[in-house]
Amino acid sequence: MTTVEPPEAAPTATLALSPEAALAPALLSSPAIVSAPGLASSPETLSLLGSVARRAPYAFYRTLREEHPLLWDGRLGAWLVSRYADVAPALGDPGLVGPRGGPCCGPGTVRCAQEYAAPESAFALLREVCARTAYVLARRLAGREEADLVEEFCRWLPTGTIAAATGLSYGAVLGRSGAVPDRSRAEAPAATDLGRRRGGTGVALLAARSADQAVLTGRALASLMANLLDNPEQLELVKAVPALIGQAWDESLRRNPPVHVVLRRAVRDLAISGGTVPAGAAVALLVGAANRDPDRFPDPDRFDLHRTATGGLALGPADCPAARVAELQAECAVNALLTAMPGLRRADAFTPAESGLLTRSPHRLLVRPG
């Protein structure tokens, strides 16, 4: 099994494909949506599509949690739910349904853990593949004066790991449209034979099953590195105690989850946050708001490696194979970057900025490798 390296000239447009098309089904355009009885549509400033939400989403979320925990967003055509105490149970409520065949795994998703259980040997081998791929990518940046971790590392590592583990090319993994591969190709005999030659571990199958998570994992990696670089004292802790990488990953997923909005449709009238969502209505569960709810997470805007409050809503259940793969990729990423570039720091006068609506992450992360 060999490490697959990206081409020297990365096809930026291909890798930049947003997963929002997969995360946002045609929930908001269906004629089944009903208006909010007895409630006027929210003003532009209180719409998820408004300029305030795009410019300062966390301040927008705070206003919703404190003043409008259940709000009809007329522009979006959906009810907004923002408090942790409401969002967390709603994600698993059978009265709210999502798209069929959505990406695995997202907040509230359990399908992946139910469908596929990978052997531990597969995770161990995939970690080897990921560690080698991360090292190759990190070494390419080590001698540079400046580099963009998002464009040159975070977006490539998940895809490169899948390509190396399955034996497929980057093009085959990404597919013609720039999306991750359909599983029929990634699970073809030529790919799974690679795992059989290593003792029948199923590593190729595990990688293929995690393929549709690659773009979101890349976004989560970008947020993780941004959080560590923004908090040098905590970055030094991770350098000294690599076992803390898992805690840093969990805290980054809480503070800056790759998925901010999960769309659902009510199949019956539902009581939520003191109100009633009528059957047929679209519901936007604001994971990004719930993860910064001070009633659940004290000092929620702070990135804290030692946070004791648990329950952040991010990539699905802990036993989900795709979520475990994302975590091992985070561990390999941080280890490789700090090994290759022990003096890694944020570029002078650069501040990372998140972008996106349903999904959010830094679109650039300029660093000084040395």
Side-chain angles (χ1 to χ4, degrees):
M1 201 177 306
T2 58
T3 301
V4 177
E5 299 185 19
E8 292 294 338
T12 304
T14 299
L15 284 181
L17 180 75
S18 170
E20 293 184 5
L23 287 169
L27 287 175
L28 304 181
S29 59
S30 168
I33 295 176
V34 298
S35 61
L39 181 65
S41 296
S42 62
E44 190 274 346
T45 54
L46 288 181
S47 172
L48 195 63
L49 300 180
S51 59
V52 173
R54 290 182 177 273
R55 185 177 63 252
Y58 298 106
F60 172 73
Y61 292 158
R62 186 181 309 116
T63 298
L64 292 183
R65 286 193 309 264
E66 295 175 355
E67 302 176 20
H68 308 281
L70 179 66
L71 178 71
W72 172 252
D73 185 334
R75 289 187 63 188
L76 184 67
W79 292 85
L80 305 183
V81 183
S82 52
R83 289 179 179 170
Y84 184 95
D86 301 318
V87 173
L91 285 168
D93 192 327
L96 292 170
V97 297
R100 292 182 179 179
C104 171
C105 68
T109 302
V110 296
R111 167 178 54 83
C112 45
Q114 294 172 340
E115 289 182 355
Y116 177 63
E120 289 302 315
S121 56
F123 288 101
L125 274 179
L126 192 61
R127 182 183 295 276
E128 291 181 22
V129 175
C130 184
R132 289 198 298 270
T133 305
Y135 181 76
V136 169
L137 292 171
R139 288 301 303 169
R140 285 189 169 190
L141 307 180
R144 302 263 295 278
E145 181 177 343
E146 186 174 278
D148 181 357
L149 284 189
V150 172
E151 191 63 39
E152 301 177 80
F153 185 90
C154 297
R155 285 178 174 169
W156 282 108
L157 180 59
T159 306
T161 299
I162 293 164
T166 58
L168 297 171
S169 67
Y170 264 80
V173 171
L174 289 171
R176 291 181 181 178
S177 67
V180 289
D182 63 58
R183 290 176 178 171
S184 62
R185 288 196 300 156
E187 297 171 10
T192 54
D193 280 348
L194 201 60
R196 294 191 188 102
R197 290 199 298 270
R198 295 294 297 269
T201 62
V203 63
L205 185 57
L206 173 61
R209 289 275 181 163
S210 304
D212 60 2
Q213 187 72 12
V215 176
L216 286 180
T217 299
R219 293 190 171 203
L221 290 177
S223 294
L224 170 63
M225 293 311 303
N227 278 321
L228 288 173
L229 292 168
D230 283 348
N231 296 272
E233 74 290 349
Q234 301 200 51
L235 178 60
E236 290 302 317
L237 281 175
V238 168
K239 288 181 184 178
V241 186
L244 291 174
I245 295 174
Q247 291 174 225
W249 174 245
D250 289 342
E251 173 66 351
S252 185
L253 288 176
R254 179 206 64 82
R255 185 178 186 271
N256 302 93
V259 177
H260 271 232
V261 182
V262 173
L263 298 173
R264 295 285 188 265
R265 181 175 297 285
V267 297
R268 61 175 184 272
D269 289 357
L270 292 174
I272 300 178
S273 194
T276 300
V277 172
V283 179
L285 303 175
L286 305 185
V287 170
N291 275 355
R292 294 207 187 189
D293 190 334
D295 288 341
R296 176 73 183 195
F297 305 102
D299 195 8
D301 295 331
R302 172 178 164 78
F303 178 77
D304 184 2
L305 277 175
H306 303 297
R307 185 176 297 278
T308 56
T310 60
L313 310 172
L315 295 180
D319 60 346
C320 166
R324 289 187 60 187
V325 167
E327 182 176 8
L328 74 82
Q329 289 176 332
E331 293 171 358
C332 292
V334 176
N335 279 324
L337 288 170
L338 296 184
T339 298
M341 297 171 278
L344 182 68
R345 66 189 188 279
R346 206 171 67 187
D348 299 336
F350 173 77
T351 301
E354 290 184 334
S355 62
L357 175 62
L358 300 185
T359 64
R360 290 185 65 84
S361 65
H363 62 281
R364 298 181 75 203
L365 187 53
L366 299 183
V367 298
R368 296 185 67 85

